[in-house]
Amino acid sequence: MGQLHYKGYVGSVEYDEENNSFFGHVLGLNRDGICYEGATADELLKDFHDGVDDYLAHCAEKGKTPEKSYSGKTVVRMTSDLHQKAASTAHKRGISLNEFINLAIAAAL
């Protein structure tokens, strides 16, 4: 439906027709969950901001490094043939396989 952005975190926006309310969760977190809700868009946004702020405060209090939405690390699975072709093409272009994959994704977007 949509996305919210705050302090480097990205949150989903969904609508619950049965309860006539909005809800969502911070995307891209692996171990920590941040959920929020609101009857209006303004309430949803406030609860999202409060959830992120509370999470960051909790991490600071515990001396824990906060997890970030989309750390920039991902595992890409492909066939061995495609892997070989991508690595060979990257080598011919004088770039790393990682850079080649980033360029390919950027071009597709």
Side-chain angles (χ1 to χ4, degrees):
M1 196 169 164
Q3 290 185 341
L4 302 174
H5 301 267
Y6 182 63
K7 293 186 177 179
Y9 291 88
V10 179
S12 66
V13 176
E14 300 182 51
Y15 178 69
D16 182 347
E17 189 173 350
E18 187 175 310
N19 293 320
N20 192 31
S21 64
F22 297 96
F23 67 96
H25 65 278
V26 173
L27 303 172
L29 300 182
N30 292 317
R31 60 177 198 263
D32 300 316
I34 303 172
C35 299
Y36 43 89
E37 63 185 355
T40 66
D42 287 339
E43 286 180 12
L44 179 75
L45 185 60
K46 181 181 181 333
D47 203 40
F48 170 61
H49 289 181
D50 289 348
V52 170
D53 288 339
D54 289 348
Y55 171 66
L56 294 173
H58 175 76
C59 288
E61 181 181 300
K62 299 292 182 189
K64 175 182 164 185
T65 301
E67 193 176 2
K68 284 290 199 179
S69 288
Y70 305 109
S71 67
K73 298 175 187 174
T74 188
V75 174
V76 178
R77 299 190 192 283
M78 63 184 83
T79 65
S80 59
D81 185 52
L82 182 60
H83 189 174
Q84 183 275 323
K85 288 177 183 176
S88 177
T89 301
H91 179 74
K92 287 176 187 173
R93 293 183 183 182
I95 59 176
S96 69
L97 179 57
N98 187 65
E99 188 175 355
F100 178 77
I101 291 169
N102 275 285
L103 290 170
I105 291 171
L109 297 174

